[in-house]
Amino acid sequence: MTRLFFRSTYMPFTYKMMISYLLLVLVTDIAIGYASYTMLVKSRTEVAQTGIRAALEQTRNNADYRMAEVQRISDQLFGNLPFQRALTKHGDRATMYLTVIDEVIPLLQAPLDLFGSPIRLTLYAVNPDIGESASSSETTPITRSDYFMQHFSAVQSSPWFQKLEAEGVDNLWFQADEDRELGNVSLFRKLVLFTDYSTVIGYIKITVNLDSLLGNIVKYPEQGLGLRFYDQRTESTLYERLPNNIGTTYLNLREEIVGTSFAIEVRVPHGYLNKDAKRLQVTIGLICAASFIVMGIIGFVVATLSGRRMKRIVSFITSMKEGKLDRRLSVSGNDEFELIAHSFNNMASSIQQLIQDVYSQGVQKKQAELEALQAQINPHFLYNTLSAISSLSNLGKTREVTEMVKLLSRFYRLTLNEGQVLIPLKKELDQVGAYLDIQKVKYADAFQVYIEMDPVVKDVQIIKLLLQPFVENVFKHAWFEETIAIRITAKRIGDSLELKVIDNGIGMRPETVQKALRGGAQSNAYGLKNVNERIKLRYGTDYGVQIASVYGGGTTVQILLPFHMNEFPELDVSSYTRKHT
C-alpha cells in the first residue's frame, strides 16, 4: 500500500534531494555553530592581542623613527665642520653677531623645520664670544619647535650634568630638569673638535615630548589598558598610565626601542580579551538559524531552477576566473539564459580589450616617467658647474667656490625632492631659483629674472621639473647679446593653471619650434618634449606645452595644467590612446 502511494504521488527528484540537503544543512549548522563559537572566542582573544601588539609595534616604530631622527639631527651638528668653526671663532661683538646669524642659527633652525613634532633644541657653547638667545624655558610644555643658545655655565652646575660628567657618558637619552613633570625626554651630546677629538666646544640637548613618541598607543581607543615607558638601564619609569580596573591578571606585552635602553610595556587585562564571549554565542546562534533558513530557500530555488544551462554558465565563469577569456558561451533560446550568455560574451571581449589598453598605456606611462627621472639630473649642467667651481678655485676665489657648492647642493636637493613626483608650485619655483642662483655666480649681473606668482596658486600640486628645462634652454640657446631678461609668471585661468617662461633672446623659427616639441634623442630640446609628454600622460591631452617665438624677438613658453589644490589627479585612460603617443 505504501509502495503504491509513493508510485501514484509525484514528487520531483530535486525535491527529494532537497530534503536530504536540508537535513545535512541542519546537522552542519549545529556542528559549525559549535566549532565557530569555540574558534571565534579564541580568535577574538587573538585578534585583540594582535591588534594591541600591532599598535604597540607601531608605537615602537614611531618612537624608534623619531628618536633616530633626533639622533640624526645631533649627528649633523656634531659632524658639521662649518658649525665647529663658527663655535670656535673669536672676534668683536659685530663679527660674532654676524657669525651666529649666518653660520650657527641656520644650522639650528633647519632641523626644526624638518622634524614632524615640536622639539626644543638647546646649544650650550663653551666659547664666551658666542651670544645667547632668550633663555630656554625648561618648565613649560613644548608647544612648538624652537632653538636656544646659552653659555656652558648655564648647565655646568646642574646635578644631572655633573652626574653625566662623573660617569663619563655621552650621546645619551635621559630625563633632565623638569622633563619628568612635563613628560619629556632629552638627548644630550658633547661637541668636540675634529682636530683632536678631545677639545670640548659645546653641548647640545634635544628635548621631545613623550606624547609625540607614544601617540599611537596613548590614543588607543580601547579602555582598561596599562602603559609604561621605562629605561631598562636604570629601571626608572619615564611615563606610566595604569587604569584603576586593570585587575590582578593581565597579559604583558613589551617592545624595546632599537639602539636605546628604553622599552614600552602594555598590560592587557584578560577580562578585556574575552569580554565578548556571551555576545558571540548569541550572534552565532542567530547566524546558524538564519543560515538554515537561507540555505533552505536557496536549496528549493536551486532544486527548481538548476540544470544543464546553469552548470554550463558556471563552468564558463570559472574559466574566466582562471584567466581563460577567449572562451565564448553559446546558448539557444529566447530567455534569461540567452541574455546572460550574450552579456557574458560582451563582458569577456570588453575585459580582453581593456586589459590590452591599460597594459599598453601603463607601459607608455612608465616609460615617460622613467625618461623624466633620467632627465632630472642634467650631466652637462653638473659638469659645467663643477668646471666653473674648479676655475674659481684656481683663481683663489674661495667665497665664490663655497657659494657655488652650497647652491649646487641646494639645487640637487630640491631637484630630487626625496623621490616625490608631485610638489607645490612654490617649491618648483624654489628649485628654479636655486638654478638661477648658480647662474648668477657664473654670469654675475649679465641677466635679469622677474618672477610673478599669484598667491592663490603657490600651493597647487604639480609635477616637478616643469620649469627648469625651459629656463636652462634660455641660457643654452636664447642668449646672443651681452645681457638677457627672463620673466616667469604663474596664475590661475578658470580651472587651469598657466605657467609662462618668457625671454628676450634670439628666438626660434617656426620649424625649430615644431622640432623642439617633437624632441628626440638627437634634439637639443629633448627635455621640452619630455615635459610635454609627462603632462599629457598624467593630466590628459587638454594640457601641455605651447611655444610662441619670433626669430630675433624672443620666446614665450606656456605650460597649461589643471588647477588642483589638494588632489593628485591621474589620467583617465579612456581619454588617451596610442594615437597620441
Side-chain angles (χ1 to χ4, degrees):
M1 185 69 180
T2 303
R3 189 172 182 179
L4 181 61
F5 172 81
F6 279 107
R7 283 184 176 181
S8 60
T9 304
Y10 172 77
M11 179 177 290
F13 177 78
T14 53
Y15 289 175
K16 297 178 182 178
M17 295 298 298
M18 186 183 67
I19 294 175
S20 302
Y21 165 77
L22 291 179
L23 291 176
L24 179 61
V25 168
L26 179 61
V27 174
T28 303
D29 276 350
I30 294 174
I32 292 178
Y34 177 79
S36 299
Y37 171 74
T38 304
M39 295 175 63
L40 281 176
V41 170
K42 182 180 179 181
S43 175
R44 174 64 181 85
T45 301
E46 294 175 352
V47 168
Q49 179 179 343
T50 302
I52 297 171
R53 187 178 294 277
L56 178 59
E57 291 178 354
Q58 187 176 2
T59 300
R60 188 275 314 276
N61 293 336
N62 180 68
D64 187 16
Y65 172 78
R66 293 187 179 275
M67 295 177 80
E69 283 293 307
V70 172
Q71 184 67 50
R72 278 193 287 272
I73 293 174
S74 73
D75 292 340
Q76 291 174 1
L77 295 176
F78 180 86
N80 193 297
L81 290 177
F83 186 69
Q84 286 194 1
R85 288 194 292 267
L87 291 182
T88 56
K89 186 175 181 180
H90 295 278
D92 54 40
R93 294 186 63 183
T95 301
M96 294 308 297
Y97 175 77
L98 294 177
T99 299
V100 171
I101 291 298
D102 296 337
E103 300 180 31
V104 177
I105 290 180
L107 294 175
L108 296 178
Q109 181 66 42
L112 302 183
D113 299 332
L114 298 177
F115 198 75
S117 302
I119 61 174
R120 179 179 295 150
L121 194 155
T122 306
L123 169 66
Y124 301 97
V126 175
N127 186 355
D129 292 341
I130 300 294
E132 294 187 347
S133 64
S135 299
S136 175
S137 179
E138 303 289 348
T139 60
T140 59
I142 302 176
T143 57
R144 64 185 182 89
S145 295
D146 207 350
Y147 66 90
F148 302 92
M149 293 189 302
Q150 297 184 11
H151 192 260
F152 169 60
S153 58
V155 73
Q156 188 174 12
S157 59
S158 299
W160 59 266
F161 177 79
Q162 295 178 356
K163 181 180 179 182
L164 292 181
E165 284 291 299
E167 295 177 356
V169 294
D170 183 27
N171 198 14
L172 179 69
W173 286 92
F174 71 107
Q175 286 185 320
D177 297 329
E178 305 296 329
D179 282 351
R180 181 178 295 275
E181 289 75 13
L182 297 176
N184 299 333
V185 63
S186 299
L187 174 67
F188 189 75
R189 185 165 189 175
K190 182 190 302 181
L191 302 176
V192 298
L193 280 178
F194 277 3
T195 55
D196 56 9
Y197 289 95
S198 61
T199 302
V200 179
I201 60 175
Y203 299 86
I204 55 173
K205 186 177 73 169
I206 306 176
T207 305
V208 185
N209 188 265
L210 284 172
D211 283 341
S212 67
L213 297 179
L214 308 176
N216 293 327
I217 199 70
V218 168
K219 299 176 182 179
Y220 197 76
E222 302 294 346
Q223 302 297 322
L225 304 182
L227 174 65
R228 179 177 173 235
F229 183 75
Y230 66 97
D231 189 343
Q232 299 179 97
R233 183 175 60 88
T234 60
E235 289 299 328
S236 59
T237 299
L238 282 70
Y239 180 92
E240 187 173 35
R241 185 195 69 186
L242 294 176
N244 297 329
N245 59 345
I246 193 171
T248 57
T249 59
Y250 51 82
L251 175 66
N252 194 33
L253 303 176
R254 184 170 66 94
E255 288 288 342
E256 298 180 358
I257 299 178
V258 180
T260 70
S261 60
F262 298 116
I264 307 172
E265 182 180 86
V266 174
R267 298 176 181 178
V268 187
H270 286 292
Y272 163 75
L273 295 175
N274 52 21
K275 64 180 180 180
D276 296 329
K278 190 67 177 179
R279 183 169 59 87
L280 288 175
Q281 184 178 11
V282 175
T283 302
I284 291 176
L286 294 176
I287 291 175
C288 289
S291 173
F292 179 79
I293 295 173
V294 171
M295 295 300 289
I297 296 174
I298 293 175
F300 177 82
V301 173
V302 170
T304 304
L305 303 178
S306 63
R308 292 178 59 188
R309 291 183 175 182
M310 181 60 70
K311 291 181 180 179
R312 194 156 180 260
I313 291 174
V314 170
S315 67
F316 273 75
I317 293 176
T318 303
S319 298
M320 175 181 284
K321 183 179 178 181
E322 295 173 352
K324 300 176 182 178
L325 300 178
D326 56 340
R327 298 186 62 187
R328 297 296 180 264
L329 182 61
S330 176
V331 177
S332 60
N334 188 21
D335 53 15
E336 293 81 0
F337 290 100
E338 192 273 338
L339 179 61
I340 291 174
H342 180 70
S343 300
F344 174 85
N345 294 336
N346 289 340
M347 180 180 65
S349 299
S350 299
I351 291 175
Q352 275 188 302
Q353 185 63 40
L354 181 60
I355 290 175
Q356 294 175 356
D357 293 343
V358 170
Y359 176 79
S360 176
Q361 292 181 8
V363 171
Q364 295 168 4
K365 183 175 180 180
K366 291 300 180 183
Q367 181 63 29
E369 291 179 349
L370 177 60
E371 294 173 354
L373 291 174
Q374 293 172 342
Q376 285 180 10
I377 302 177
N378 190 327
H380 298 291
F381 166 70
L382 177 60
Y383 298 156
N384 293 337
T385 305
L386 292 177
S387 178
I389 291 174
S390 177
S391 299
L392 292 174
S393 177
N394 292 334
L395 294 175
K397 296 183 178 182
T398 306
R399 186 183 64 82
E400 287 82 353
V401 170
T402 303
E403 184 67 17
M404 284 200 72
V405 170
K406 289 181 179 179
L407 292 174
L408 184 64
S409 174
R410 178 171 176 263
F411 172 80
Y412 279 107
R413 183 170 63 252
L414 292 171
T415 299
L416 294 177
N417 192 39
E418 299 180 351
Q420 298 297 320
V421 177
L422 296 176
I423 61 173
L425 175 59
K426 59 183 179 181
K427 195 166 184 180
E428 174 75 3
L429 291 176
D430 289 342
Q431 191 268 349
V432 174
Y435 172 81
L436 292 171
D437 288 340
I438 295 174
Q439 302 304 325
K440 286 181 181 178
V441 178
K442 295 169 60 178
Y443 298 106
D445 297 327
F447 68 92
Q448 294 82 38
V449 179
Y450 307 93
I451 298 179
E452 302 173 8
M453 179 176 64
D454 191 345
V456 301
V457 304
K458 66 178 182 178
D459 294 321
V460 174
Q461 297 285 337
I462 66 171
I463 310 173
K464 69 178 180 180
L465 286 173
L466 294 185
L467 293 173
Q468 190 270 340
F470 299 102
V471 176
E472 183 176 347
N473 278 336
V474 173
F475 289 92
K476 283 185 176 182
H477 309 295
W479 200 334
F480 72 103
E481 293 184 350
E482 293 183 357
T483 63
I484 194 170
I486 304 172
R487 181 183 175 203
I488 301 174
T489 66
K491 62 182 179 179
R492 179 177 181 176
I493 301 179
D495 293 330
S496 299
L497 170 65
E498 181 191 66
L499 307 176
K500 285 186 177 180
V501 179
I502 307 169
D503 68 78
N504 61 349
I506 193 172
M508 293 182 289
R509 293 185 173 89
E511 59 271 18
T512 306
V513 173
Q514 295 301 320
K515 183 179 179 182
L517 287 176
R518 288 194 301 269
Q522 304 300 325
S523 173
N524 290 330
Y526 182 78
L528 310 188
K529 181 255 185 182
N530 181 272
V531 171
N532 194 33
E533 280 297 308
R534 290 166 58 210
I535 293 174
K536 292 184 180 296
L537 281 171
R538 182 167 289 273
Y539 302 117
T541 56
D542 293 336
Y543 304 96
V545 178
Q546 295 291 331
I547 301 177
S549 184
V550 176
Y551 187 71
T555 301
T556 297
V557 177
Q558 180 198 51
I559 304 174
L560 197 63
L561 305 170
F563 185 87
H564 292 280
M565 293 298 295
N566 297 307
E567 301 176 359
F568 300 88
E570 291 289 347
L571 171 65
D572 180 3
V573 296
S574 64
S575 67
Y576 195 83
T577 61
R578 274 170 282 181
K579 68 179 181 180
H580 298 115
T581 57

